[in-house]
Amino acid sequence: MTACSSHRAPCIAVAVFGVLLLPPMRDWLETSMLLQMLVQIPLLIAVGWHLHGALPTRLTAALDAWNRQGIAGLILTTLAAAFWMLPRSLDAAVSDPAFEVAKFASGPLLIGLPFALSWPRMGFVVRGVFLSELIAMFFRIGWLYKASPVRLCSNYLLDDQQRSGQYMVMIGAGILLWVAIKLMWGHFGSPSGFTSSDPSR
Amino acid sequence: MAVSAFRTLLASLVLAVVGGAVLTAATDHFQAFTSEGARKVRIREHMPRVPHATLQTQYGRDIRLADLRGKWLLVDFIYTRCITYCTAQGSEFALLQRKLAAPLQSGKLELLSISFDPSRDEPHQLADYLQRSGGHGGGWLAARPVGLRQLDQLKRVFGIIVIPDGLGGYVHNTGFALVNPQGRLVAILDTGDPDQVVRDILGHLRS
């Protein structure tokens, strides 16, 4: 496993992806809305994020030329994530194999990976807009799922939906807290070497 | 810098247009965000033909759905063991039976409750269900599909998803399905507002 000694993160990501693909694992993570939405899909996104180290430098350089400040990648990530926020997409992933395939492909490749390629290139303002929108999204959707008396997914029970909503509100609060701590005690711009202006100019 | 800004703008525009188109298609032009909403849009737009299923009624008699052609059908899906909030669905059907007495008596309309739990819902359970719900005979059939394959076909066309509730019962999507005299499913009417259902049905009967 020489390839794996130099690329540990992508290797672990591929292994995690393989485990997620196993039918018993898939069935278990799709028995509840909470597990599908807040464990399975985030793990698929994380798999994509950790794949970026395996991309050849020439490819990332070429992509960077089309991704100033990470804007294009952020748009892709946001739209693909919006698709999986539709309750009917979660439902369809359970009952329609084509949607299941789409989920396993798009989670890593259209959400996680482009985000990993874009986040280091985002300046303070872009990051700020993204994070405040992310936090607001967790609160908005979490509240909707918590308060709705109607089942939003035909494949899941109402108490599961309400519990998922509660967890989303908690996750939103957690991210808010993390951002607040970073703002007060840490650096909250781009990592070293990056500034809010584009390095690829 | 100018080149990369221009390229990023171009890439962003392409991604936004493609992504927007996908989201538009995925929500039926922003009409349906849930699978229940999607079911209503699908039925309204495609008016699927109801399958040729054979059902056994509360009287123990077999009928074919095709035998009911020529009249409007209002269909709901039930399981008779339900003792929680789905009892409200039965009472609502009983209320509709009273409010729609005229078209029911003239044979223009028939109410039909189909069981999705046919192994347990024998004819006498179906008869009990009608009685418990406050039904009074005329114009309301309760029936179970004679085979599991027929049940699956009905569930698929009507878009019924049944899941265990974790307490030995089931949870399922509700709504009253309206079938026209040609045997096509034309609309899903919301439960909880019987007056609106009556208005919708009378509107369809007149048209």
Side-chain angles (χ1 to χ4, degrees), chain A residues 104-124:
Chain A
F104 272 83
S106 66
L109 297 180
L110 299 184
I111 304 177
L113 185 59
F115 189 65
L117 295 173
S118 305
W119 175 256
R121 306 174 58 76
M122 293 179 206
F124 183 79

Side-chain angles (χ1 to χ4, degrees), chain A residues 75 79-80 83, chain B residues 13-25 30:
Chain A
I75 288 175
L79 289 170
F83 180 88
Chain B
L13 280 174
V14 170
L15 288 170
V17 169
V18 173
V22 170
L23 286 177
T24 307
F30 300 99

Side-chain angles (χ1 to χ4, degrees), chain A residues 38-108:
Chain A
L38 299 178
V39 177
Q40 189 191 45
I41 293 179
L43 279 174
L44 287 171
I45 295 172
V47 162
W49 169 282
H50 289 288
L51 284 179
H52 80 278
L55 291 186
T57 332
R58 276 186 50 200
L59 180 62
T60 49
L63 287 172
D64 283 352
W66 295 80
N67 195 18
R68 199 171 129 86
Q69 288 237 20
I71 300 285
L74 187 57
I75 288 175
L76 175 59
T77 297
T78 310
L79 289 170
F83 180 88
W84 290 110
M85 278 177 220
L86 298 172
R88 66 183 277 190
S89 304
L90 286 187
D91 244 348
V94 178
S95 38
D96 183 344
F99 272 79
E100 181 75 333
V101 172
K103 181 175 74 181
F104 272 83
S106 66

Side-chain angles (χ1 to χ4, degrees), chain B residues 61-122:
Chain B
R61 247 195 352 254
D62 279 3
I63 54 160
R64 287 176 311 159
L65 265 183
D67 296 340
L68 298 170
R69 293 263 167 87
K71 52 171 89 175
W72 289 84
L73 290 180
L74 190 65
V75 181
D76 75 343
F77 284 79
I78 59 161
Y79 74 108
T80 63
R81 282 182 304 132
C82 184
I83 46 161
T84 54
Y85 47 89
C86 28
T87 51
Q89 197 185 321
S91 321
E92 201 173 332
F93 237 42
L95 186 65
L96 290 172
Q97 191 188 25
R98 283 195 290 279
K99 288 184 184 260
L100 292 164
L104 287 171
Q105 268 159 22
S106 68
K108 269 179 152 177
L109 175 71
E110 181 93 35
L111 303 182
L112 173 62
S113 294
I114 300 178
S115 165
F116 56 74
D117 193 12
S119 57
R120 287 207 177 88
D121 288 341
E122 309 266 342

Side-chain angles (χ1 to χ4, degrees), chain B residues 142-155:
Chain B
R144 59 171 181 171
V146 296
L148 283 181
R149 208 178 56 85
Q150 310 222 10
L151 173 64
D152 284 343
Q153 248 180 344
L154 285 166
K155 275 162 70 180

